Amino acid sequence: QVQLVESGGGLVPPGGSLRLSCVASGRTLSTLPLAWFRQAPGKEREFVAALKRGSSTTYSTDSLKGRFTVSRDNGKNTAYLQMNGLKPEDTAVYFCASTSGSPIVSSLRDAATYEYWGQGTQVTVSS
């Protein structure tokens, strides 16, 4: 079993930055794929970025490249989502997710790939 706990959300003005954290327990995070998703009110859960297991290779949705960066600190068993240049349309609940499986790269963007989810952290971008 893997437990994931997100933190770091909050209210930030447009153009601001936030760094979300996802602390894992139960397994070593570097041995698992790790993804970030977000869900805005009334919308479907949307892929943001992912890290392959045992790798620093990242995958991001094209529209967020250059603003959002996913990383992992193996010593802290923690993943991060650095978000810069935030826009009101980035307002959503952000979730980290993982799986004990070995998904192919194309599956990293699919929420159905992941069986472990955090509770989410709210990010609100507003002046």
Side-chain angles (χ1 to χ4, degrees):
Q1 280 288 344
V2 178
Q3 292 79 43
L4 302 171
V5 179
E6 304 96 335
S7 63
L11 174 64
V12 62
S17 297
L18 280 176
R19 188 178 76 161
L20 306 183
S21 299
C22 173
V23 178
S25 58
R27 287 278 300 274
T28 301
L29 195 56
S30 62
T31 67
L32 302 171
L34 189 287
W36 287 94
F37 287 80
R38 67 184 184 182
Q39 189 165 19
K43 294 189 177 181
E44 292 187 355
R45 196 161 293 192
E46 175 189 20
F47 172 76
V48 173
L51 278 164
K52 286 181 62 176
R53 62 195 302 175
S55 170
S56 59
T57 303
T58 63
Y59 303 87
S60 302
T61 193
D62 288 343
S63 62
L64 299 177
K65 283 181 180 176
R67 294 198 298 124
F68 288 18
T69 304
V70 59
S71 62
R72 179 172 50 214
D73 184 331
N74 294 336
K76 296 183 178 180
N77 218 36
T78 299
Y80 302 99
L81 182 67
Q82 178 67 43
M83 306 186 294
N84 299 324
L86 284 162
K87 305 175 182 180
E89 52 264 42
D90 294 320
T91 295
V93 178
Y94 284 72
F95 301 88
C96 60
S98 189
T99 176
S100 56
S102 300
I104 58 176
V105 169
S106 60
S107 295
L108 292 173
R109 302 170 181 268
D110 186 353
T113 296
Y114 304 93
E115 68 267 31
Y116 304 118
W117 291 84
Q119 81 289 350
T121 185
Q122 175 72 47
V123 172
T124 303
V125 184
S126 175
S127 54

